[in-house]
């Protein structure tokens, strides 16, 4: 996969559940851990990945071709996502 992105998630106020649905993929998605390490999982077109996040700041990492399409939705809790 040709492109890697990192998105900070800020201000998770209470436990939150996020869902990533991939319309066009595959993509590799994971949470960035200490020391810049990311444990990726591969999500194919039509598949979903679910994440339960505790309060605090989290950072997702995504590796995908530029033509990928996916939807990130908060299913519970309050999450502020900064895409800059």
């Amino acid at each position: 996969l040709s492109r890697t992105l990192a998105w900070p998630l800020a201000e998770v106020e209470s436990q939150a559940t996020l869902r990533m649905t991939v319309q066009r993929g595959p993509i590799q998605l994971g949470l960035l851990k200490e020391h810049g390490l990311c444990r990726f999982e591969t999500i194919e077109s039509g598949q979903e990945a679910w994440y339960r996040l505790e309060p605090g700041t989290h950072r997702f990492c995504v590796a995908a071709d530029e033509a990928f399409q996916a939807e990130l939705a908060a299913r519970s809790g309050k999450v502020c996502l900064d895409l800059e």
Side-chain angles (χ1 to χ4, degrees):
L1 300 172
S2 63
R3 185 172 146 191
T4 301
L5 309 170
W7 295 327
L9 285 175
E11 305 299 324
V12 176
E13 294 180 8
S14 60
Q15 190 176 59
T17 302
L18 298 181
R19 181 194 75 209
M20 173 71 83
T21 305
V22 176
Q23 287 90 21
R24 185 183 313 152
I27 68 169
Q28 292 181 318
L29 178 69
L31 285 168
L32 195 62
K33 301 295 183 183
E34 294 177 18
H35 309 293
L37 299 176
C38 191
R39 184 174 178 187
F40 285 109
E41 63 178 304
T42 300
I43 308 165
E44 301 288 342
S45 294
Q47 292 183 329
E48 297 179 342
W50 292 82
Y51 293 89
R52 179 152 307 205
L53 302 176
E54 296 298 325
T57 300
H58 304 274
R59 194 173 189 93
F60 276 98
C61 38
V62 178
D65 290 330
E66 292 195 22
F68 87 94
Q69 286 183 321
E71 176 184 286
L72 182 64
R75 302 303 295 171
S76 66
K78 184 175 180 182
V79 177
C80 176
L81 179 63
D82 181 3
L83 296 176
E84 292 184 49

